[in-house]
Amino acid sequence: MSYCVNCGVELDSSLKACPLCSTPVINPNQPYNPDEKSPFPTQKGQVEFVRRKDLGILISIVVLSTSLTCMLLNFLVFQNSLWSLIVIGPCIILWVLLIPFVIYSRLSVYMSLFFDALAISIYLYMLTFLTKSNRWFYQIALPIVFTSLVLVETITMLIKTVSASILMCALYLFTAVPILCIGIECFGDHFLHGSILLTWSMIVLTVCVIIDIALITVLTRSRLRNAVRRRFHF
Ligand SMILES: [Zn+2]
């Protein structure tokens, strides 16, 4: 029995070279035997890819049948509340999230993000049927979803047009997070008390401003930037 001197794989006596790294096999105690069949396949095999369209059809059917069976179960057996909406909503969101990957891949990233937000909004709206009032939907849920959408779309645009480096992405993120937090606190305060008094979001803002200042300093000083890149390997 021989082993490759380079990569250590076990070698058969029929081999002249390692099947993995092609290092020549030289073993004086085990002469080369060309009649013996190679234990390794000589050709590269490949599993056929599943076509996106087929995958799309499968996902659509699973999502649709889950929604329909839940709806039927809700209307025919467990009728005490509209619980099936809790299942149907995520099904719609899942389906919308997967559209750009499996069904319609030419959809622009901005449009697909918009549809994601729309699907989440529809789900949250469906939940209003389970609550006494739908005020929370219009005053908290919808504004938060819309703010998040605007922020995510803006970050996507900045990544595509300005820079996609890790440091710049961190800068986008640490700017977007406090904006979202301030939004959440504003909408929440307005909903609960009718007035706005910012507290915890100001703490988030302070921390993020400090991080942003540090990031901008690093980004504008090329020596610092290169030092950070070398240390974190990107
Ligand atoms: Zn080898």
Side-chain angles (χ1 to χ4, degrees), residues 3-9 11 17-25:
Y3 296 91
C4 174
V5 290
N6 184 47
C7 70
V9 76
L11 299 166
C18 171
L20 289 185
C21 66
S22 308
T23 304
V25 177

Side-chain angles (χ1 to χ4, degrees), residues 125 127-138 191:
Y125 182 72
L127 291 182
T128 60
F129 292 106
L130 298 170
T131 55
K132 279 187 197 125
S133 146
N134 60 10
R135 206 167 69 90
W136 64 270
F137 173 73
Y138 293 107
F191 175 73

